[in-house]
Amino acid sequence: ECGNSISTRNQRLAAIHSLFQHIQVQAPEYMFQCQQVLAIPFKKAVKRQVSFLSEDETKVLLAMPDTTTRKGRRDQALLCLLYDSGARVQELADLRVGDLRLDSPPQVKLIGKGRKTRSVPLMDKTATLLRQYLREQRLDNPSCYEHPLFFNTQQKKLTRQGIAYVLKKYADGCGISEISPHRIRHTKAMHLTEADINPIFIRDFLGHTDLKVTEVYSKTS
């Protein structure tokens, strides 16, 4: 009646179920009533198909920034890191210079949900772009390790909205619609899946806690 989506209703029902599981342990005399509540079923929903870019679309998108300009070189480094790391947009926004390791083997340290940290390998081409970016921004020294990796004219870190704006600008330029940073994350996951990479590696790469979440890419492929 309130117009809530199926996922919202299921989340609220899960909370109610959790409460009544607790009650039936603490107050067994209400066991029958608790079982009635716990019997309320979750609503089934049609699972949406994972949306991702093809390899050709990805190549075109990453080549869109004008690398003859300082801002264009920054944007290309940002887009390549977003794709190559499969990072969530907030993970990318929170990056500090010290989170990068560009010596061989190059990798980036991401802080995900629940403050869990994971190290993600990077391709050599991405490492080269980031090395050039740090040098150009004069961030390639230890005193800058706590500086935001990507920042605005006020030297403050780019926000989630700022990163989404940069991405959409270039996606519009090459005719890609319905773009978002999370779609780039899906794209990386799908490309790993279609390259026949072990799902357990993909799970750890993306920072998922459950392999079932990662298996959606195998089903989509």
Side-chain angles (χ1 to χ4, degrees), residues 15 73 84 90 102 140 144 168 176 187 192 200 211:
R73 290 189 290 273
D84 199 14
Q90 191 61 55
L102 300 180
D140 55 344
C144 297
K168 188 176 187 306
I176 297 173
T187 297
L192 289 172
I200 294 176
L211 192 58

Coordinates of all heavy atoms in Angstrom, one line a residue, residues 15 73 84 90 102 140 144 168 176 187 192 200 211:
A15 N 13.9 -8.4 8.9 CA 14.1 -7.8 10.3 C 13.1 -8.4 11.2 O 13.4 -8.7 12.4 CB 14.1 -6.3 10.2
R73 N 44.0 13.7 -19.2 CA 44.9 12.6 -18.7 C 44.5 12.1 -17.3 O 44.6 10.9 -17.0 CB 46.4 13.1 -18.7 CG 47.0 13.3 -20.1 CD 48.5 13.6 -20.0 NE 48.8 14.9 -19.5 CZ 48.8 16.0 -20.2 NH1 48.6 16.0 -21.5 NH2 49.1 17.2 -19.6
D84 N 39.8 -1.3 -14.3 CA 40.8 -2.3 -14.0 C 40.7 -2.9 -12.6 O 40.9 -4.1 -12.5 CB 42.2 -1.7 -14.3 CG 43.2 -2.8 -14.5 OD1 42.9 -4.0 -14.7 OD2 44.4 -2.5 -14.4
Q90 N 32.6 4.3 -4.2 CA 33.0 4.9 -2.9 C 34.5 4.5 -2.6 O 35.3 5.2 -2.1 CB 32.1 4.5 -1.8 CG 32.4 5.3 -0.5 CD 32.2 6.8 -0.6 OE1 31.2 7.3 -1.1 NE2 33.2 7.6 -0.3
L102 N 52.9 0.8 -7.4 CA 53.1 0.8 -8.9 C 54.3 0.0 -9.3 O 54.6 -0.1 -10.5 CB 53.1 2.2 -9.4 CG 51.8 3.0 -9.1 CD1 51.9 4.4 -9.7 CD2 50.6 2.2 -9.7
D140 N 54.2 12.2 -6.5 CA 55.0 11.0 -6.5 C 56.1 11.1 -5.5 O 57.3 10.8 -5.7 CB 55.6 10.8 -7.9 CG 56.4 12.0 -8.4 OD1 56.2 13.1 -7.9 OD2 57.2 11.8 -9.4
C144 N 53.1 12.9 0.1 CA 51.8 13.0 -0.4 C 51.0 11.7 -0.3 O 49.9 11.6 -0.8 CB 51.9 13.3 -1.9 SG 52.7 14.9 -2.3
K168 N 29.8 9.8 -17.0 CA 28.7 10.0 -17.9 C 29.1 10.9 -19.0 O 28.6 10.8 -20.2 CB 27.5 10.6 -17.1 CG 26.2 10.7 -17.9 CD 25.1 11.2 -17.0 CE 23.8 11.2 -17.8 NZ 23.8 11.9 -19.0
I176 N 27.0 5.8 -25.3 CA 26.7 4.7 -24.3 C 25.6 5.3 -23.3 O 25.9 6.3 -22.7 CB 27.9 4.2 -23.6 CG1 28.9 3.5 -24.5 CG2 27.5 3.2 -22.5 CD1 30.2 3.1 -23.9
T187 N 31.0 -4.7 -15.6 CA 31.7 -5.0 -16.8 C 33.0 -5.7 -16.6 O 33.3 -6.7 -17.3 CB 32.0 -3.7 -17.6 OG1 30.7 -3.0 -17.9 CG2 32.8 -3.9 -18.8
L192 N 36.1 -10.8 -16.7 CA 36.9 -11.9 -16.0 C 36.2 -13.2 -16.1 O 36.8 -14.2 -16.4 CB 37.0 -11.5 -14.5 CG 37.9 -10.3 -14.2 CD1 37.8 -10.0 -12.7 CD2 39.4 -10.7 -14.5
I200 N 36.2 -18.1 -7.6 CA 36.7 -17.8 -6.2 C 37.6 -16.6 -6.3 O 37.6 -15.7 -5.5 CB 37.4 -19.0 -5.6 CG1 36.4 -20.1 -5.4 CG2 38.1 -18.6 -4.3 CD1 36.9 -21.4 -4.8
L211 N 30.0 -16.5 -2.4 CA 30.3 -16.9 -3.8 C 29.0 -16.8 -4.6 O 29.0 -16.6 -5.8 CB 30.8 -18.3 -3.8 CG 31.4 -18.8 -5.2 CD1 32.5 -17.9 -5.7 CD2 31.9 -20.2 -5.1

